[in-house]
Amino acid sequence: MAENEIIPIEMVLPHKIPLIPLNGKPIFPGIFTPIMLSNADDIAAVNEALNTNGGILGMVLVKQEANPMAIENLYEIGTVAKVVKRINLPDDSINIFISTLKRFKIKKALSKEPPLMAAVEYLDDVGEVTDEIKALTRALISEMKQITENNPLFSEEMRLNMVNIDHPGKIADFFTSILNIEKEEQQKILETIDIHERMEKVLMFIKREQELLRIQKKIQSEINEKIEKSQREYFLREELKAIKQELGMPGDAKSSDYQKFKEKIDSFKFTGEVLETVTQELEKFQLMEPNSSEYIVTRNWLDLICSLPWNQTSNKEFNLEEAVKILEEDHYGLKDVKERIAEYLAVRKLKSDSK
């Protein structure tokens, strides 16, 4: 082989590689990303890759949790990556920077215990770049731009990558990696080798994401309108109240009720626990919004308090026998209650006071 001849990547990549199980989401080819690893088995897999085959390892999504992890618990198709840099962290975990290269399929398990080793077959994209593929590429970029516009979740670097990727299959992979979709759906995209089919699936996910964003914006708009309306009404009421006070006009119904209750309660000259309770309810009434459910309850309570004859006494004589007779005629049964009322009236008559 000539010295300057280009060597195909299939001839460079080893067919026996260590595997790192992914619990989050699958990683797609053509991406440079950091990964933090704290599991001892994963670190052992990285060491194996660096020591034996130039840092080449496989990243595979976990299909079913297991301890210890076995190859049977992983999806068959993953992404091969090269460890570009490794950083040891103080807590014995490591941070690696990987460059993902292409898809692979697990052909055979070479180890039953971690670190996991497997014989793999590398997968190429299927399909030629036809006019239909070019049209799908333009549609993907156009629809994706609508999602990324004014969205803080998409960085400027992501937007630049959208227009700089030149291969249709890689564009579909990149869009899938940044879309907010379930990991199982992302894995299905990773397993789709046909470019046309993959792009159609990604376009469907983009359309669905657009619909979710439209509904989200609608909900946010409705909530903002309600908040703005409530704030506007509050400020207008406060302005109207200030204008009426300035002109000497009566205030709103709530202010009028508060003033009426306050004057009435002050005239009763309450003391002690009664004064404390009534004052607390009156202050609570002043702070309440008329639309709240407790407003009516508190208002009725204050209205009842103000309607009671607190400072009125009666020296009217009453006949105990006549009172008992009235109780028997007007109320059937209730023997204990009647006896208690009769005892109370008897004590009142003996004491000859109103307390």
Side-chain angles (χ1 to χ4, degrees):
M1 185 176 291
E3 184 178 348
N4 296 328
E5 186 176 348
I6 298 175
I7 303 175
I9 192 170
E10 292 81 0
M11 297 180 62
V12 178
L13 294 175
H15 290 277
K16 297 178 182 179
I17 59 174
L19 304 177
I20 292 184
L22 299 174
N23 291 310
K25 291 186 176 183
I27 297 178
F28 286 82
I31 295 173
F32 184 81
T33 183
I35 297 180
M36 183 174 291
L37 301 174
S38 58
N39 185 281
D41 296 334
D42 295 340
I43 296 174
V46 173
N47 294 334
E48 180 71 20
L50 292 171
N51 294 332
T52 60
N53 52 17
I56 301 296
L57 47 72
M59 317 296 292
V60 192
L61 185 66
V62 173
K63 180 167 54 176
Q64 183 179 2
E65 290 288 343
N67 189 18
M69 184 62 66
I71 290 182
E72 292 75 17
N73 305 118
L74 306 176
Y75 284 96
E76 283 189 346
I77 295 180
T79 303
V80 65
K82 179 176 176 59
V83 179
V84 179
K85 188 175 182 180
R86 167 183 169 151
I87 301 175
N88 295 323
L89 301 178
D91 59 354
D92 294 331
S93 61
I94 64 171
N95 196 12
I96 60 172
F97 291 84
I98 61 171
S99 175
T100 57
L101 304 174
K102 63 186 307 181
R103 291 166 169 82
F104 70 85
K105 182 177 182 179
I106 297 175
K107 299 297 291 182
K108 182 181 178 181
L110 300 179
S111 64
K112 294 183 178 180
E113 297 180 356
L116 301 177
M117 294 287 296
V120 299
E121 173 190 2
Y122 296 104
L123 305 175
D124 293 316
D125 289 343
V126 176
E128 298 180 357
V129 182
T130 61
D131 289 340
E132 187 174 358
I133 293 293
K134 292 179 180 178
L136 272 173
T137 303
R138 291 184 180 182
L140 283 175
I141 295 175
S142 175
E143 297 294 336
M144 197 65 186
K145 281 183 178 179
Q146 295 182 25
I147 296 178
T148 59
E149 286 179 359
N150 301 321
N151 192 331
L153 297 178
F154 294 93
S155 63
E156 189 63 30
E157 182 181 357
M158 290 182 179
R159 297 186 179 94
L160 290 174
N161 286 335
M162 286 171 50
V163 296
N164 290 332
I165 300 174
D166 55 356
H167 192 276
K170 290 182 178 180
I171 289 176
D173 288 343
F174 176 71
F175 287 172
T176 307
S177 67
I178 62 177
L179 283 174
N180 185 24
I181 58 179
E182 297 295 329
K183 62 180 182 181
E184 291 81 9
E185 294 174 334
Q186 286 189 333
Q187 178 65 28
K188 289 179 181 178
I189 298 295
L190 185 65
E191 295 175 356
T192 305
I193 308 302
D194 184 88
I195 298 176
H196 187 278
E197 183 183 354
R198 189 193 310 167
M199 297 183 77
E200 285 184 336
K201 288 182 179 180
V202 176
L203 186 59
M204 180 187 67
F205 287 130
I206 291 175
K207 288 290 187 181
R208 189 175 69 181
E209 187 71 15
Q210 287 178 341
E211 181 63 18
L212 290 174
L213 288 174
R214 185 190 66 80
I215 296 173
Q216 181 182 350
K217 288 181 179 179
K218 179 183 177 183
I219 294 173
Q220 289 178 341
S221 177
E222 291 174 352
I223 293 175
N224 290 335
E225 285 181 5
K226 290 180 181 179
I227 294 174
E228 290 173 0
K229 181 181 179 182
S230 176
Q231 290 178 339
R232 185 168 61 251
E233 289 177 351
Y234 172 78
F235 286 122
L236 288 174
R237 282 196 299 267
E238 292 299 315
E239 288 181 3
L240 182 60
K241 188 188 300 182
I243 292 173
K244 287 183 177 181
Q245 289 178 352
E246 191 71 23
L247 297 176
M249 299 172 61
D252 56 10
K254 176 185 172 183
S255 300
S256 177
D257 287 342
Y258 172 79
Q259 193 63 32
K260 180 183 70 174
F261 290 144
K262 190 175 187 309
E263 291 176 358
K264 192 76 172 176
I265 290 170
D266 289 343
S267 68
F268 291 144
K269 301 187 185 305
F270 291 133
T271 59
E273 185 178 350
V274 176
L275 176 62
E276 181 182 350
T277 303
V278 173
T279 303
Q280 182 179 353
E281 291 297 320
L282 186 63
E283 291 176 352
K284 184 169 72 172
F285 175 75
Q286 185 183 20
L287 298 174
M288 284 182 177
E289 286 294 326
N291 296 328
S292 66
S293 58
E294 293 185 6
Y295 177 82
I296 299 298
V297 176
T298 305
R299 187 191 182 284
N300 291 341
W301 188 87
L302 290 170
D303 192 32
L304 174 63
I305 293 298
C306 292
S307 64
L308 295 175
W310 292 93
N311 296 330
Q312 299 178 17
T313 58
S314 174
N315 295 322
K316 182 179 178 181
E317 294 290 334
F318 58 85
N319 188 302
L320 184 59
E321 294 180 355
E322 183 68 21
V324 172
K325 181 180 178 181
I326 293 173
L327 287 173
E328 293 292 343
E329 290 177 352
D330 293 350
H331 304 282
Y332 177 78
L334 304 175
K335 181 179 178 182
D336 293 339
V337 177
K338 292 174 184 176
E339 289 180 355
R340 181 71 183 88
I341 294 174
E343 290 174 0
Y344 172 74
L345 293 175
V347 172
R348 283 283 304 273
K349 189 169 185 177
L350 289 174
K351 290 182 67 175
S352 300
D353 59 26
S354 59
K355 296 183 181 180

